[in-house]
Amino acid sequence: MFPIREATFLALDVKLLRIEAPRIARRREAGQFVIVRVHEHGERIPLTIADSDVDQGTITIIVQGIGKTTKLINMLETGDVIQDVVGPLGEASEVSLFGTVVVIGGGVGTAIAYPTAVAMKQAGNRVLSIIGAKTKDLIILKEQMQATSDALFVMTDDGSDGTQGFVTQKLVELLQGGEQIDRVLAIGPIPMMSAVADVTRPHGIKTIVSLNPIMVDGTGMCGGCRVTVGGQSRFACVDGPEFDAHDVDFKILAQRNTLYRAQERAALESLEADPAGDLEEIRHCRLEQKHPEVGPQAK
Amino acid sequence: MAEHLPPKERTKIPRQSMPEQDAHERAHNFDEVNLGLEIVVAEKEAQRCLACNDPKCVQGCPVGVKIREFVDLVMDGEYLKAAAKIREDNVLPAVTGRVCPQENQCEGSCILGKRFSPLAIGHLERFVADYEQATGQVGLPDRAPLTGKKVAIVGSGPAGLSCAGDLVLKGHRVTVFEALHEIGGVLLYGIPEFRLPKEIVRNEVDNLSKMGVDFQTNVVVGKTVTVDELLGEEGYDALFIATGAGLPKFMNLPGEHLGGVYSANEFLTRVNLMKAYDSEHYDSPIYDCRDRNVAVIGGGNTAMDAVRSALRLGAKNAFIIYRRSEEEMPARREEVHHAKDEGVQFMNLHNPVEFLGNDDGYLTAVRLIKMELGPEDESGRRKPIPMEGSEFDLPLDVAIIAIGTGANPLVQSTTPDMQTNKWGYIVADEQTLRTTKRGVFAGGDIVSGSATVILAMGAGRTAARSIHDYLITAEW
């Protein structure tokens, strides 16, 4: 059982949760993720660790409510408990002194890019950040990114914050402006990461993306998260989640991520029609935690 | 209580058969196939035992269960004592009674089998274990006084559980770390409900808890905590690595990325651990098999488990595609027989060469090539050879690859001073199961490569003896 110490919305459908998980907090490095199972009947989903606090023994995840499980997580509040959290999984981001690093975060991808941006800055890099979203209300971690970047550019589809346009536009502008870029980290929706790869490819700029395919165990056991990189099948959970963007087959990745669309839609509809059952299962856990003596009988 | 008959009379009794759920009915549900023996039937079967002075069956058992003695107790109607007798050597009797390949072990060595059918040892083992569970009077052995030593066991599959059981009885403090959210390893994620009900595994795990074993789920040793941390700041005196062979092998064929192509590990994990077959109550999805064509590639127990699961998920056609003939099939005979009864179609002497898909990235067919058997290869089996020009396409919606597993490198990669071989398996001394790192032992599939539940349990026992010696003598 993993208690939630803090739960706050950062934007519409985007929630920050600080979870007590001391072992994970102690070992976690930028770029790694956890697998979360909300309750006894839940699925296992990967979520990148946005931050951790060793003294408090907590990790922070930032979750955008899209499907049933993520929407359900967004319904949780301080004091609720998550059934299972396991990690830190995956390889840490490769961080060293590269020179000028452009960090690009699209939508909730900013939450995943943020810890690596911090690490890049600490390693002495000049960090230029571009964060983008559909609209102003969906821009997250703006102040934090500002604080860790030498320059921050905000892009929105509707121009309600920063400049109107896609993150790739700003990247092209930087390149056209003669900016010497040594490395790019791009994390966001698949079309965005693919577009960034296309921009940097002709310039030969090493570009890293963090992939989020469907996973089950997260330890290399099932192979469900296999992605095609440089023509080879790789497991995102143990070989990744970060890969060289110029080698990733984004089309296959996008196709594999739609495998369970029908079931996902049905699950979401049933949650939205009646979230009580799922919430009760979680809240019952909270009862168990506070009053172990009522445990199983309460069920 | 049954009469002890003279040997001649014993051989006249036919081997008692295990009642099964009707094949047509069970092909559509996940309930257990074998229903278990009635008391009278079990006693009658026990009467068949020749009570050899030098029982070959015991030698055939990887953990040395005192078979003659427990069968004797069954004949006397002392079922609880029989169960306790098994538990002296085997901490998971209800599990092994169901999943051991008895035909190659105890029953394969039974003298009766030379002229008649061998004694149904597996069925009797299951009978006493189930009887014990049903009465709730599990005869747990006594624990020795505490030694003050702490042992960490990495992995809660059969090797880890059997090692934990033996060590805790010797008075050591034992903590088992499991990466997944539930205890049992392959018994849980790998073997389906209809062959090994999860309730059985949970009961056995509960018994170990009662004996004093501490279980911690959601800990990936190598990631959440390292071997050095366990031996250092966490204060463990010894460590047993029993992580199994969990890395699925793919075939590296074109189209393997297509939607609908699974590793057997993923397919079975979704079905068993995540309970995707009960979609009304569980959230984990599985590709809709209803009225679809599903093929499993491979001929082992895992392949049989996967294909029979696909049938139960509603597959219209469920195929086994195996490159050799049925004779070479490594699966337990009973599983092959059950699969056939349920309607699984066997395409032996076939091998896939490519997976074909549509524009949306979904599997539509598999291209197969016919095979013939040539001379024996290094495994002693006749080598399958592709027949040139015999390719054809089999329309398919789901393909499950069950051609074996390799070593998962997570623990090894963060334990650089522990030696592995070229395939990534941990190097351990055959007798003592000591690795090249002081205080660290390893056994089961992570040392031997994929084998069986009972061999892993045997390794767990060996490790327990060896760890105990090390803890007592402090000599490496």
Side-chain angles (χ1 to χ4, degrees):
Chain A
M1 299 283 187
F2 296 80
I4 299 172
R5 291 286 169 243
E6 182 193 343
T8 11
F9 276 106
L10 299 182
L12 181 69
D13 283 338
V14 178
K15 201 163 194 173
L16 176 150
L17 297 107
R18 213 156 49 74
I19 302 165
E20 196 176 311
R23 270 200 161 120
I24 304 174
R26 200 161 56 225
R27 287 200 54 85
R28 157 273 161 178
E29 292 176 71
Q32 291 187 296
F33 65 94
V34 285
I35 293 260
V36 169
R37 191 176 71 130
V38 182
H39 57 53
E40 281 294 340
H41 296 90
E43 59 177 342
R44 294 168 65 99
I45 62 161
L47 294 165
T48 302
I49 307 168
D51 205 352
S52 61
D53 185 325
V54 180
D55 295 333
Q56 301 225 8
T58 58
I59 58 166
T60 301
I61 52 173
I62 294 174
V63 184
Q64 182 173 25
I66 296 173
K68 173 179 173 178
T69 303
T70 48
K71 290 253 187 209
L72 183 58
I73 291 175
N74 281 2
M75 291 177 190
L76 301 183
E77 287 157 20
T78 307
D80 281 329
V81 290
I82 292 181
Q83 179 77 29
D84 300 291
V85 180
V86 61
L89 300 169
E91 292 290 321
S93 304
E94 187 194 346
V95 175
S96 65
L97 182 54
F98 298 108
T100 296
V101 177
V102 173
V103 175
I104 304 175
V108 78
T110 304
I112 304 168
Y114 170 66
T116 308
V118 172
M120 289 289 189
K121 185 69 197 162
Q122 281 169 354
N125 292 289
R126 179 164 165 263
V127 175
L128 308 178
S129 297
I130 309 171
I131 61 175
K134 278 201 184 101
T135 184
K136 183 174 188 255
D137 293 342
L138 295 173
I139 292 284
I140 57 166
L141 301 180
K142 189 174 164 182
E143 283 161 34
Q144 289 90 331
M145 286 299 275
Q146 183 92 56
T148 199
S149 309
D150 293 270
L152 173 74
F153 308 97
V154 177
M155 305 294 289
T156 48
D157 295 4
D158 62 2
S160 55
D161 195 358
T163 311
Q164 183 176 8
F166 293 142
V167 290
T168 38
Q169 264 167 256
K170 179 55 70 182
L171 179 62
V172 170
E173 260 175 49
L174 290 175
L175 287 164
Q176 282 170 348
E179 190 69 63
Q180 177 64 44
I181 300 171
D182 300 293
R183 196 179 182 92
V184 172
L185 173 76
I187 303 174
I190 294 171
M192 183 211 94
M193 295 193 287
S194 175
V196 169
D198 289 342
V199 170
T200 57
R201 190 175 285 111
H203 297 272
I205 302 169
K206 178 91 165 180
T207 302
I208 302 295
V209 286
S210 178
L211 306 184
N212 193 15
I214 295 167
M215 288 185 189
V216 185
D217 61 292
T219 62
M221 193 193 86
C222 84
C225 69
R226 61 193 189 275
V227 288
T228 306
V229 182
Q232 298 287 313
S233 190
R234 307 285 300 278
F235 291 180
C237 67
V238 287
D239 301 325
E242 295 186 359
F243 292 100
D244 188 327
H246 298 149
D247 291 338
V248 171
D249 190 324
F250 289 102
K251 187 181 167 205
I252 290 177
L253 175 66
Q255 283 177 337
R256 286 188 62 81
N257 274 1
T258 66
L259 276 180
Y260 302 109
R261 190 142 286 178
Q263 289 103 315
E264 284 163 358
R265 198 174 298 134
L268 180 59
E269 277 166 13
S270 92
L271 175 77
E272 287 181 332
D274 177 26
D278 284 284
L279 282 172
E280 201 168 279
E281 203 173 339
I282 295 161
R283 301 272 143 86
H284 160 69
C285 295
R286 183 162 62 173
L287 263 179
E288 252 184 6
Q289 256 241 330
K290 280 186 182 160
H291 313 284
E293 67 280 3
V294 297
Q297 295 90 328
K299 205 152 193 176
Chain B
M1 191 166 155
E3 195 189 344
H4 290 244
L5 302 168
K8 236 196 173 135
E9 297 297 313
R10 297 178 199 176
T11 59
K12 280 187 190 156
I13 305 172
R15 181 176 158 118
Q16 304 297 298
S17 57
M18 168 65 80
E20 306 174 346
Q21 228 199 114
D22 174 73
H24 295 289
E25 207 167 294
R26 74 182 190 234
H28 304 289
N29 68 50
F30 275 84
D31 298 338
E32 195 172 12
V33 171
N34 285 346
L35 301 171
L37 301 182
E38 298 282 342
I39 289 184
V40 283
V41 180
E43 287 193 348
K44 193 161 190 186
E45 181 63 28
Q47 277 183 305
R48 299 180 62 231
C49 180
L50 296 176
C52 310
N53 284 328
D54 175 25
K56 299 285 182 235
C57 51
V58 180
Q59 292 165 30
C61 174
V63 297
V65 167
K66 300 175 194 85
I67 295 164
R68 213 199 79 173
E69 294 173 45
F70 102 73
V71 172
D72 222 37
L73 287 163
V74 173
M75 231 185 308
D76 293 342
E78 298 278 9
Y79 315 121
L80 288 175
K81 282 186 185 162
K85 184 55 72 183
I86 299 175
R87 278 190 189 279
E88 288 176 14
D89 303 288
N90 173 357
V91 292
L92 308 172
V95 173
T96 51
R98 287 171 165 84
V99 305
C100 261
Q102 288 96 0
E103 67 259 34
N104 305 326
Q105 299 173 349
C106 51
E107 295 182 23
S109 318
C110 175
I111 300 298
L112 258 184
K114 290 203 191 304
R115 283 187 55 201
F116 311 94
S117 290
L119 186 68
I121 298 166
H123 294 166
L124 288 174
E125 181 179 48
R126 173 191 158 149
F127 166 76
V128 293
D130 286 359
Y131 182 91
E132 185 193 42
Q133 292 292 357
T135 58
Q137 300 176 54
V138 179
L140 297 177
D142 292 331
R143 192 175 181 185
L146 291 181
T147 61
K149 301 285 183 189
K150 268 173 75 175
V151 184
I153 292 179
V154 186
S156 69
L161 293 181
S162 87
C163 185
D166 282 6
L167 282 173
V168 87
L169 289 182
K170 294 205 187 294
H172 307 300
R173 274 176 62 195
V174 179
T175 304
V176 178
F177 295 100
E178 167 57 47
L180 291 168
H181 56 259
E182 231 182 307
I183 297 296
V186 71
L187 304 176
L188 217 72
Y189 74 74
I191 304 176
E193 187 73 18
F194 56 82
R195 196 148 78 84
L196 177 63
K198 301 311 148 211
E199 193 63 32
I200 302 275
V201 181
R202 261 172 231 126
N203 281 337
E204 297 285 23
V205 170
D206 283 349
N207 289 336
L208 286 166
S209 293
K210 283 181 201 147
M211 283 158 62
V213 178
D214 171 38
F215 290 102
Q216 292 194 23
T217 53
N218 295 320
V219 178
V220 185
V221 173
K223 288 287 183 185
T224 315
V225 64
T226 62
V227 168
D228 285 320
E229 284 172 334
L230 289 172
L231 290 173
E233 60 224 55
E234 301 227 7
Y236 288 92
D237 300 290
L239 203 127
F240 178 51
I241 301 176
T243 47
L247 207 68
K249 281 186 188 155
F250 285 91
M251 308 181 80
N252 294 319
L253 295 178
E256 221 159 47
H257 63 270
L258 290 165
V261 181
Y262 281 104
S263 73
N265 265 9
E266 180 181 4
F267 187 80
L268 289 171
T269 299
R270 285 183 179 275
V271 175
N272 300 331
L273 178 74
M274 305 311 295
K275 305 208 168 14
Y277 65 85
D278 184 7
S279 59
E280 209 180 305
H281 299 103
Y282 290 85
D283 291 342
S284 282
I286 192 145
Y287 203 81
D288 194 348
C289 292
R290 282 174 298 177
D291 292 321
R292 300 266 174 86
N293 292 330
V294 182
V296 177
I297 295 138
N301 288 321
T302 305
M304 299 305 142
D305 286 344
V307 78
R308 295 170 69 200
S309 296
L311 260 189
R312 284 158 172 78
L313 291 169
K316 182 169 65 185
N317 290 296
F319 302 99
I320 281 284
I321 297 171
Y322 181 54
R323 63 195 181 127
R324 302 181 200 248
S325 73
E326 190 172 325
E327 207 170 308
E328 288 84 17
M329 236 174 222
R332 284 176 89 213
R333 223 170 297 149
E334 187 178 47
E335 309 310 327
V336 176
H337 150 82
H338 279 161
K340 281 188 177 166
D341 285 353
E342 289 164 12
V344 171
Q345 301 164 58
F346 282 71
M347 296 183 72
N348 297 331
L349 293 167
H350 284 83
N351 209 24
V353 290
E354 185 178 355
F355 296 102
L356 307 167
N358 60 21
D359 291 343
D360 297 330
Y362 288 90
L363 177 73
T364 56
V366 61
R367 181 156 298 159
L368 298 174
I369 189 164
K370 291 184 180 168
M371 312 289 279
E372 56 189 345
L373 292 179
E376 283 184 9
D377 62 12
E378 61 281 6
S379 75
R381 296 181 294 179
R382 293 179 63 192
K383 189 183 166 71
I385 302 164
M387 294 166 70
E388 219 173 296
S390 67
E391 290 96 336
F392 68 100
D393 295 347
L394 176 74
L396 210 58
D397 305 285
V398 178
I400 300 161
I401 300 171
I403 57 162
T405 50
N408 189 314
L410 280 186
V411 178
Q412 298 89 305
S413 64
T414 50
T415 319
D417 50 345
M418 183 177 67
Q419 207 183 322
T420 54
N421 67 18
K422 62 177 169 177
W423 300 283
Y425 294 106
I426 299 174
V427 175
D429 181 271
E430 266 181 48
Q431 251 82 58
T432 64
L433 297 182
R434 289 178 178 196
T435 68
T436 53
K437 185 176 171 71
R438 190 185 169 93
V440 180
F441 301 74
D445 285 5
I446 192 58
V447 170
S448 63
S450 322
T452 59
V453 167
I454 191 69
L455 284 170
M457 290 178 61
R461 298 208 79 195
T462 306
R465 273 194 299 273
S466 185
I467 290 169
H468 178 70
D469 286 348
Y470 168 65
L471 293 175
I472 296 306
T473 63
E475 276 170 28
W476 188 254

